[in-house]
C-alpha cells in the first residue's frame, strides 16, 4: 500500500467481503487484497447481490467493508448498495467496476456507496477501505460528501416515506418537487447525476463554475436537500 495514503495510526485489522458476478475475479481480488492487507479478514465472497445483502444485514456475517461490483447480474450493484445502506450505516460500501466510473458514480453514491473505484486498481481500493474504516475520506475522484450515517438516514427516510404514503401519492410528490425547478436547474441536476464536476457542467452550458454552484444550491433547497450529494440523491429518487 502507499505509505502517503495511510496514516501511521490507521488500523488495518478489519473484515472485508466482496460481491462480484465473476468467480475468477472474486479469487483474484481476494488474493490481491490479502497481499496488500495481510491483517484484513475476508469472511466471505459471493456472486449474487441478494446473498450479499442478506449477509450484510445479519449481525453474524456483517463485514466492516463490502466491495460491490457495479455490473452484477440480476440485482444491480447500485441496488445492493441502496438496500444495505437503507438498512444499516455499519458497513463501508465501495463500488467497483471495470467499466466507466462516470457511468455508475452518481447512482452508486446516491445509493449510499462511499466511493466508486476502478476494479483493476486494487492498491487504491485497499487504501480507500483503510481510510473509510478509520473515519477518513479516501483519496479518489468519486467520493460521497455524506457520511454513512447520513446516507443511511436519508435512504431510510425515503423508504419510510414510500411505505407511509403509498404508490398513489409518490408520483404527486415527485411532480411537485421537479416542477419547482427551472429548466436550467433541471439541466444542471441531470448533469450532476452523470457525475460531472461543476467545471465540466459550466463548460457544457457555457456558464461560470460559480453559476453552476448557485444553480445546484437553488435546486438542493427546492428538493429539500442540504448539499449537492443529497440533491442528486433526491433528484434520482424523484425520477423513479
Amino acid at each position: 500500500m502507499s505509505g502517503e495514503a495511510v496514516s501511521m495510526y490507521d488500523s488495518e485489522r478489519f473484515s472485508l467481503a466482496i460481491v462480484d458476478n465473476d468467480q475468477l475475479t472474486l479469487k483474484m481480488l481476494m488474493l490481491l487484497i490479502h497481499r496488500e492487507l495481510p491483517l484484513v479478514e475476508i469472511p466471505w465472497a459471493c456472486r449474487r447481490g441478494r446473498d450479499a445483502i442478506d449477509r450484510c444485514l445479519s449481525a453474524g456475517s456483517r463485514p466492516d467493508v463490502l466491495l460491490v461490483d457495479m455490473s452484477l447480474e440480476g440485482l444491480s450493484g447500485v441496488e445492493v448498495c441502496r438496500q444495505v445502506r437503507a438498512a444499516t450505516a455499519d458497513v463501508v460500501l465501495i463500488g467497483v467496476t471495470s467499466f466507466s466510473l462516470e457511468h455508475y458514480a452518481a447512482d452508486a453514491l446516491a445509493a449510499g456507496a462511499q466511493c466508486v473505484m476502478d476494479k483493476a486498481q486494487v492498491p487504491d481500493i485497499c487504501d480507500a477501505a483503510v481510510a473509510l474504516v478509520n473515519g477518513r475520506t479516501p483519496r479518489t475522484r468519486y467520493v460521497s460528501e455524506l457520511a454513512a450515517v447520513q446516507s443511511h438516514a436519508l435512504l431510510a427516510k425515503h423508504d419510510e416515506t414510500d411505505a407511509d404514503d403509498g404508490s398513489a401519492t409518490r408520483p404527486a410528490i415527485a411532480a411537485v418537487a421537479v416542477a419547482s425547478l427551472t429548466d436550467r436547474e433541471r439541466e444542471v441536476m441531470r448533469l450532476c447525476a452523470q457525475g460531472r464536476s461543476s467545471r465540466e457542467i459550466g463548460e457544457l452550458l457555457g456558464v461560470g463554475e460559480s453559476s453552476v454552484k448557485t444553480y445546484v444550491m437553488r435546486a438542493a433547497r427546492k428538493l429539500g436537500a442540504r448539499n449537492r450529494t443529497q440533491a442528486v440523491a433526491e433528484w434520482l429518487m424523484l425520477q423513479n
Side-chain angles (χ1 to χ4, degrees), residues 84-104:
V84 171
R85 182 58 73 233
T88 180
D90 295 335
V91 180
V92 169
L93 297 174
I94 299 178
V96 295
T97 182
S98 299
F99 301 102
S100 168
L101 295 178
E102 286 192 358
H103 180 74
Y104 293 104

Side-chain angles (χ1 to χ4, degrees), residues 3 7 19 38 80 100 107 119 124 140 156 158 162 167 208 212 216 220 235:
S7 165
V19 55
V80 170
S100 168
D107 287 354
K119 191 188 297 185
D124 292 342
T140 189
H158 178 264
D162 280 351
S167 59
V212 172
V216 172
W235 168 261

Side-chain angles (χ1 to χ4, degrees), residues 170 174 178 181 186 223 232-240:
R170 185 64 184 169
V178 174
L181 302 181
R186 279 194 285 270
L223 294 170
V232 170
E234 287 297 316
W235 168 261
L236 290 169
M237 289 172 185
L238 291 172
Q239 305 308 300
N240 297 329

Side-chain angles (χ1 to χ4, degrees), residues 1 25 28-37 67 96 117-129:
M1 294 184 66
T25 299
M28 288 301 299
L29 285 173
M30 292 171 68
L31 175 65
L32 294 172
I33 289 168
H34 270 308
R35 185 176 298 170
E36 291 288 326
L37 297 171
L67 302 188
V96 295
M117 305 185 71
D118 184 344
K119 191 188 297 185
Q121 303 302 317
V122 174
D124 292 342
I125 292 171
C126 290
D127 283 345

Side-chain angles (χ1 to χ4, degrees), residues 64-185:
D64 297 310
V65 179
L66 177 65
L67 302 188
V68 184
D69 177 17
M70 291 288 93
S71 53
L72 292 175
E73 297 176 1
L75 200 65
S76 71
V78 169
E79 183 60 17
V80 170
C81 289
R82 194 199 68 76
Q83 290 194 30
V84 171
R85 182 58 73 233
T88 180
D90 295 335
V91 180
V92 169
L93 297 174
I94 299 178
V96 295
T97 182
S98 299
F99 301 102
S100 168
L101 295 178
E102 286 192 358
H103 180 74
Y104 293 104
D107 287 354
L109 296 178
Q114 282 143 284
C115 60
V116 181
M117 305 185 71
D118 184 344
K119 191 188 297 185
Q121 303 302 317
V122 174
D124 292 342
I125 292 171
C126 290
D127 283 345
V130 171
L132 287 163
V133 165
N134 288 277
R136 296 189 294 106
T137 301
R139 296 180 180 178
T140 189
R141 179 177 181 184
Y142 296 105
V143 181
S144 176
E145 296 177 6
L146 301 181
V149 291
Q150 293 173 309
S151 291
H152 167 61
L154 179 65
L155 292 169
K157 178 181 178 182
H158 178 264
D159 285 356
E160 289 173 2
T161 299
D162 280 351
D164 292 342
D165 291 347
S167 59
T169 56
R170 185 64 184 169
I173 295 171
V176 170
V178 174
S180 69
L181 302 181
T182 66
D183 289 343
R184 180 49 60 91
E185 288 165 355

Side-chain angles (χ1 to χ4, degrees), residues 213-229:
K213 293 178 179 178
T214 298
Y215 289 128
V216 172
M217 180 185 66
R218 291 174 180 170
R221 184 169 60 249
K222 293 177 181 179
L223 294 170
R226 293 192 300 270
N227 53 43
R228 178 183 177 130
T229 300

